[in-house]
Amino acid sequence: MPALQFDEQHIRDVIDRVVERTFNMDFRWDWPGGVAFYGICEAYEATGKKEYLDKLKIWIDEQIEEGLPQLSVNGVSIGHCLLTLYEATGEEKYLDIAKEMAEFLDSRAERFADGIFQHTVNSLTDVFPQQAWVDTMFMAGYYLLRIGHLLGNEKYIEDGLKQYHGHEEFLQDNDTNLYYHGWDHVNQHHMSGMYWARGNSWAALTMAKALKFIPVQHPSYMIIDGSLRDQLSALVRLQSPEGLWHTVLTDETSYLETSGSAGIATALLLQGRLYNKYTQKAIDGILSKIKEDGTITGVSAGTAVMNDIDGYRKVPAKRIQGWGQGLGLAFLAQLVRTKEDVFG
């Protein structure tokens, strides 16, 4: 495959703008901020720009001082930036809260079947009994792997792997190799049965990231590697000429969606040169969606498992979203790393 072509300094400048725009958003202690700040941490690690982390630290410290809300499976995603802050600063208060999140998942989070997390959000009214949503692979599964690796805690690592394997079992279609958005265990079906772009990006990105934490001789390595390999092989064949993916992957009448495209493209980057011709198209497509002020456009709003395909087509994609900023930054940061891997 030909080498990727892009202007590294331009990518770094875009990262600056996206980070600045993200810090001009207002977040609660919940998953939109969790994904946004994950992206900022990725940008910090790729560029070494301490000012990104300094601004994040200010926000986190203010939240801690005001008091933190009750936890949910989705809300644990904000723990990703706590792990990065701890690793960068050595301040135990960040690790202490990160441990509380892991203990919540271990002992109090709702589960079903053989210990799979029920999708939960910070809401008393939105309840999804015995439902698995693909989002959880990022929000909680990958988090358990990260903190388990940091602490040398095998229990957390094995629980994280359980989440990957359980969500693969319930959500990855054996024929298309794409991931469904959700699974209703009570009624034993995939609800609307849609292959949602951002959902597939949660799966692809976190599986690609997970492999660095798993020894090759561990059985889980081959399970996750195989799932990711087959999923990516299907996804690249659904890429649009514009370099993006449709919000319903298999429906060309649904709009092209940027956050899902960024997550998928990040997973492709993590596979090295194998997918360069698809990644090259994605670079152009994603950059075309970033405004001069750092707003990433074309990002679908928060999306439940909709009732039918028309529900997904009608999810608005008008406004800036934390998950769009975060997944976009994850992609841009991985581009910078790619350049360093080749020329560093």
Side-chain angles (χ1 to χ4, degrees), residues 4 6 8 12 46 269-273 333-344:
L4 295 174
F6 60 92
E8 182 185 359
R12 289 175 179 268
L269 273 171
L270 286 162
Q271 300 306 297
R273 298 172 63 93
Q334 193 59 41
L335 268 183
V336 172
R337 291 191 183 105
T338 300
K339 203 76 168 183
E340 291 173 347
D341 288 343
V342 174
F343 299 107

Side-chain angles (χ1 to χ4, degrees), residues 21-317:
R21 181 65 184 90
T22 305
F23 277 121
N24 286 326
M25 298 174 69
D26 298 319
F27 295 107
R28 297 183 177 89
W29 187 272
D30 201 359
W31 74 272
V35 183
F37 297 146
Y38 170 79
I40 285 172
C41 290
E42 289 285 286
Y44 157 72
E45 292 178 357
T47 65
K49 287 204 167 185
K50 187 173 178 291
E51 56 264 37
Y52 297 167
L53 213 62
D54 290 341
K55 289 182 179 180
L56 177 59
K57 187 177 187 301
I58 290 169
W59 188 90
I60 292 291
D61 288 348
E62 288 176 350
Q63 300 299 309
I64 294 172
E65 185 176 347
E66 291 176 6
L68 303 181
Q70 66 180 14
L71 286 170
S72 67
V73 171
N74 257 25
V76 164
S77 62
I78 210 159
H80 283 295
C81 70
L82 295 176
L83 297 180
T84 302
L85 278 170
Y86 170 72
E87 290 173 321
T89 68
E91 293 188 35
E92 291 289 336
K93 65 181 178 181
Y94 303 124
L95 184 60
D96 289 342
I97 298 169
K99 288 178 179 177
E100 289 178 16
M101 292 178 166
E103 282 304 303
F104 162 78
L105 292 174
D106 180 59
S107 60
R108 302 198 306 281
E110 293 285 342
R111 298 176 185 247
F112 68 92
D114 187 26
I116 305 307
F117 291 132
Q118 174 179 297
H119 176 79
T120 62
V121 294
N122 284 343
S123 170
L124 297 177
T125 56
D126 296 324
V127 180
F128 309 98
Q130 295 193 45
Q131 289 185 16
W133 291 21
V134 69
D135 315 46
T136 301
M137 294 177 73
F138 174 88
M139 309 297 172
Y142 181 42
Y143 178 72
L144 283 171
L145 284 189
R146 286 190 67 193
I147 192 169
H149 183 263
L150 177 65
L151 300 176
N153 187 314
E154 289 297 324
K155 184 178 182 182
Y156 292 160
I157 291 172
E158 291 302 319
D159 197 7
L161 294 174
K162 176 188 289 187
Q163 302 310 316
Y164 277 81
H165 301 331
H167 283 76
E168 177 202 339
E169 180 68 23
F170 289 131
L171 297 178
Q172 190 170 28
D173 179 63
N174 291 330
D175 295 322
T176 66
N177 291 309
L178 301 173
Y179 273 71
Y180 291 106
H181 190 171
W183 166 257
D184 182 335
H185 198 62
V186 174
N187 295 298
Q188 295 286 298
H189 61 66
H190 293 106
M191 295 176 274
S192 55
M194 293 297 106
Y195 305 124
W196 179 48
R198 189 159 65 239
N200 274 266
S201 85
W202 295 133
L205 171 61
T206 53
M207 285 193 290
K209 287 282 191 179
L211 291 176
K212 71 178 181 179
F213 295 116
I214 309 168
V216 175
Q217 64 269 31
H218 193 296
S220 290
Y221 186 95
M222 296 309 298
I223 296 171
I224 293 173
D225 181 68
S227 173
L228 175 64
R229 178 201 64 201
D230 290 351
Q231 184 205 24
L232 291 181
S233 183
L235 285 170
V236 294
R237 287 157 175 82
L238 295 170
Q239 187 181 32
S240 75
E242 296 87 349
L244 303 174
W245 282 264
H246 295 272
T247 196
V248 177
L249 292 167
T250 53
D251 175 34
E252 293 184 357
T253 70
S254 66
Y255 57 81
L256 296 172
E257 203 280 328
T258 313
S259 69
S261 298
I264 292 166
T266 306
L268 295 177
L269 273 171
L270 286 162
Q271 300 306 297
R273 298 172 63 93
L274 177 62
Y275 290 118
N276 274 6
K277 71 177 181 180
Y278 304 100
T279 306
Q280 188 67 60
K281 289 169 61 178
I283 293 171
D284 297 334
I286 291 166
L287 288 177
S288 75
K289 294 294 185 177
I290 303 177
K291 294 170 61 175
E292 189 63 29
D293 71 351
T295 299
I296 297 181
T297 66
V299 176
S300 58
T303 305
V305 180
M306 309 302 283
N307 292 327
D308 52 35
I309 193 169
D310 202 43
Y312 288 88
R313 293 183 184 126
K314 292 180 178 178
V315 172

